Amino acid sequence: MAELKTKATDASVDQFLAGVKDPQRRADCLTIVQLMQQVTKAPPKMWGSSIVGFGDYTYRYETGRELEWFLVGFSPRKEALTLYLMPGSPKFAEALEDLGKYKTGKGCLYLKRLEDVNQRALKALVQESVKRAKEVARERKAAQT
């Protein structure tokens, strides 16, 4: 099985974010850093060359394969601010209803601008995502023992 390329690094989050050319996207990133740090109680850390992650956990697949990953994270992509979240709880779905303008992908939430979304709903999404990621990790660990 191929090794995961996206891993935690010692690269500077501040330096990475300072390199975001669009001033509004950079400001949105700084707001997301504050929000995710507040929810996770973990400092931001670079994962690969373009993802800022918060916290970490070991995810165990049913096959027994383990993956080191962050609880929540984001990346300032060209087209949208990409948030890496773990959906799955009813409260997550409820918060999405109140969020505002967004698109989703598998485990990703795409936002053009933070001003387009309800900040309380966004915080609720991040909180539910962290809670769900920890639950899944515990469930997988318990199933392995």
Side-chain angles (χ1 to χ4, degrees):
M1 189 170 284
E3 187 174 335
L4 187 67
K5 294 178 183 178
T6 304
K7 296 180 181 181
T9 72
D10 291 327
S12 167
V13 172
D14 291 337
Q15 193 171 35
F16 170 69
L17 295 177
V20 175
K21 290 182 173 63
D22 181 281
Q24 183 59 54
R25 180 67 44 91
R26 189 177 329 108
D28 288 351
C29 288
L30 296 174
T31 301
I32 292 292
V33 165
Q34 290 176 338
L35 177 115
M36 289 186 170
Q37 192 166 11
Q38 179 186 25
V39 171
T40 63
K41 309 286 189 260
K45 189 170 200 170
M46 290 301 301
W47 285 73
S49 62
S50 62
I51 298 174
V52 179
F54 297 80
D56 57 14
Y57 71 102
T58 302
Y59 182 85
R60 288 179 180 83
Y61 290 91
E62 291 178 8
T63 62
R65 179 177 177 224
E66 292 185 352
L67 168 73
E68 297 299 321
W69 202 241
F70 47 85
L71 291 171
V72 291
F74 74 93
S75 184
R77 305 287 186 203
K78 183 178 180 180
E79 292 298 315
L81 186 59
T82 303
L83 279 65
Y84 298 95
L85 305 172
M86 183 173 281
S89 76
K91 288 184 181 178
F92 191 94
E94 289 171 19
L96 273 178
E97 290 177 11
D98 296 331
L99 187 60
K101 294 181 183 180
Y102 69 90
K103 292 183 181 180
T104 60
K106 187 174 181 173
C108 294
L109 180 70
Y110 303 101
L111 308 174
K112 288 286 187 181
R113 294 181 306 270
L114 282 185
E115 67 186 26
D116 293 339
V117 299
N118 176 326
Q119 298 299 304
R120 283 181 295 195
L122 182 59
K123 185 174 183 179
L125 285 169
V126 173
Q127 289 169 325
E128 283 302 310
S129 180
V130 168
K131 181 179 173 183
R132 182 72 183 132
K134 289 179 178 180
E135 286 172 356
V136 167
R138 278 192 304 270
E139 290 167 4
R140 294 280 189 213
K141 187 174 183 178
Q144 297 288 321
T145 56

